[in-house]
Amino acid sequence: MSDTDKPKVLFVDDEPRVLTSMRMLFRNAYQVLLAESGVAALGVLQAQAVDVIVSDQRMPGMTGIDLLRRARDLQPNAMRILLTGYSDLNAIIGSINEGEIFRFVNKPWINDDLGGTLARAVAAARASAAADTPTSGSRDTAPAAAAGAPTVLVLDDDPAVAPRLQTILGTEVRVVGAGSMATAIEQMEQHDIGVVVSDTRVQSHPVVSLLGTLKQHHPEMVSVILTERADAGAAIELINQGQIYRFITKPLNESQCKITVSSALRHHQRLAAAPQLHQRYEVSAPATPPPVGSPAVGLLDRIKGLRDRVKRWGS
């Protein structure tokens, strides 16, 4: 493969030694582009198309999140990866909501892991370009979802959340609730679920395995996290292993909920119509999968069996 045929990867970091390491590691596989600041990176993005952007978070002048948010507007098909050496919850939530991050990678990174992540990101970017469909669409400005949209499932210990969300969304969207993972799967078996709105934990159990399995076997489903007890580690797991679409905090804000869920429903419709885009939302394998024989395994197996039902709804 000639250099001009290689995928283009833009690395952004204010530390020259990091950029030197990236060039040495990846110059054989990719056209490596380097920028020492967000402003310099935007100049690169305005001049040429890239497949993947890998940015540090903590940079003077413009953070990685700010850069990736603007990169999303300039080149929506480019995949976005954030390097971070610290745990700032607000920064992580911002990167999910505004930058639509493919992966978080911790500093110091493991070369083989970063290489594997880059390879998957490049494949997803090429698939998106082949689909010829902008992946981000318009910014989240629409006030409501279109009539006839798939059902929204609310997974939360608080039984008042689902009725409250139904009131906010109005009659155009059907909302069903579940207070446990088992009940959530029953709802999925009975309804055409397009969006899952979930707390980070239900009945004291983290939902990341459930959302990750959903995304693995039903990539057209879109997950939104709604919680008041987030932490940085959980947020990183939810994007890397669950590919959540948005992260919003309790108490419910009517305007924010309406815009976010409407955007999630539109995103679901894009994914259902263009399977080529599914690679963009590929999930990482869980660090600690549930043990064989545990109740969680049986629930996750039921998710895999939803495929035939999803096909029938789409026919």
Side-chain angles (χ1 to χ4, degrees):
M1 180 184 294
S2 67
D3 285 346
T4 56
D5 293 330
K6 292 178 181 177
K8 291 182 180 179
V9 179
L10 171 61
F11 294 97
V12 189
D13 201 298
D14 62 314
E15 297 184 46
R17 63 179 182 81
V18 172
L19 297 179
T20 299
S21 296
M22 295 300 189
R23 186 195 297 276
M24 295 295 293
L25 282 170
F26 299 113
R27 64 185 177 183
N28 291 331
Y30 307 114
Q31 294 184 64
V32 173
L33 308 174
L34 305 175
E36 292 189 10
S37 69
V39 172
L42 291 175
V44 173
L45 295 174
Q46 290 166 345
Q48 59 186 304
V50 305
D51 294 282
V52 180
I53 306 157
V54 182
S55 177
D56 189 25
Q57 165 59 11
R58 301 189 85 174
M59 299 183 294
M62 183 184 300
T63 65
I65 290 168
D66 291 335
L67 168 62
L68 294 179
R69 181 181 63 246
R70 296 174 69 173
R72 173 192 173 199
D73 294 333
L74 285 170
Q75 297 195 28
N77 284 331
M79 301 299 289
R80 297 169 289 275
I81 296 171
L82 189 70
L83 291 174
T84 180
Y86 72 117
S87 296
D88 182 329
L89 180 60
N90 290 332
I92 291 167
I93 291 175
S95 67
I96 294 169
N97 289 348
E98 301 173 28
E100 291 189 358
I101 304 300
F102 177 63
R103 290 287 188 274
F104 291 99
V105 175
N106 287 323
K107 282 185 168 182
W109 65 85
I110 298 172
N111 291 345
D112 288 347
D113 290 348
L114 179 57
T117 297
L118 274 179
R120 288 187 289 273
V122 165
R126 293 292 171 99
S128 298
D132 197 27
T133 303
T135 58
S136 295
S138 60
R139 301 293 282 181
D140 297 344
T141 56
T151 301
V152 174
L153 169 63
V154 175
L155 177 55
D156 198 292
D157 289 336
D158 184 353
V161 174
R164 172 63 176 146
L165 189 59
Q166 181 71 81
T167 300
I168 291 172
L169 296 177
T171 58
E172 295 87 356
V173 179
R174 182 179 186 181
V175 177
V176 296
S180 69
M181 293 188 193
T183 305
I185 295 172
E186 289 174 5
Q187 295 282 29
M188 293 175 199
E189 292 169 339
Q190 296 170 21
H191 302 286
D192 177 12
I193 303 296
V195 173
V196 178
V197 178
S198 176
D199 203 336
T200 56
R201 302 179 72 86
V202 176
Q203 295 184 333
S204 301
H205 299 296
V207 300
V208 63
S209 294
L210 174 69
L211 298 182
T213 304
L214 270 178
K215 203 64 182 173
Q216 180 182 358
H217 296 279
H218 308 282
E220 73 287 343
M221 288 192 188
V222 177
S223 300
V224 174
I225 290 295
L226 172 64
T227 189
E228 60 185 356
R229 53 178 186 273
D231 65 75
I236 289 174
E237 282 189 342
L238 285 163
I239 189 63
N240 285 354
Q241 298 176 27
Q243 276 295 303
I244 60 170
Y245 178 64
R246 291 289 186 270
F247 201 115
I248 53 181
T249 55
K250 294 179 179 178
L252 294 179
N253 175 281
E254 181 171 342
S255 176
Q256 183 187 32
C257 285
K258 184 176 288 189
I259 289 172
T260 299
V261 176
S262 296
S263 176
L265 284 165
R266 292 194 302 274
H267 187 53
H268 161 73
Q269 291 161 354
R270 284 196 296 271
L271 292 177
Q276 305 97 317
L277 300 179
H278 292 177
Q279 280 183 276
R280 294 186 68 87
Y281 306 98
E282 179 186 56
V283 295
S284 299
T288 54
V292 175
S294 73
V297 172
L299 292 177
L300 299 182
D301 284 342
R302 287 172 63 187
I303 291 175
K304 301 172 188 178
L306 292 171
R307 173 55 59 191
D308 290 339
R309 292 181 174 83
V310 172
K311 287 181 178 177
R312 287 199 297 273
W313 287 320
S315 61

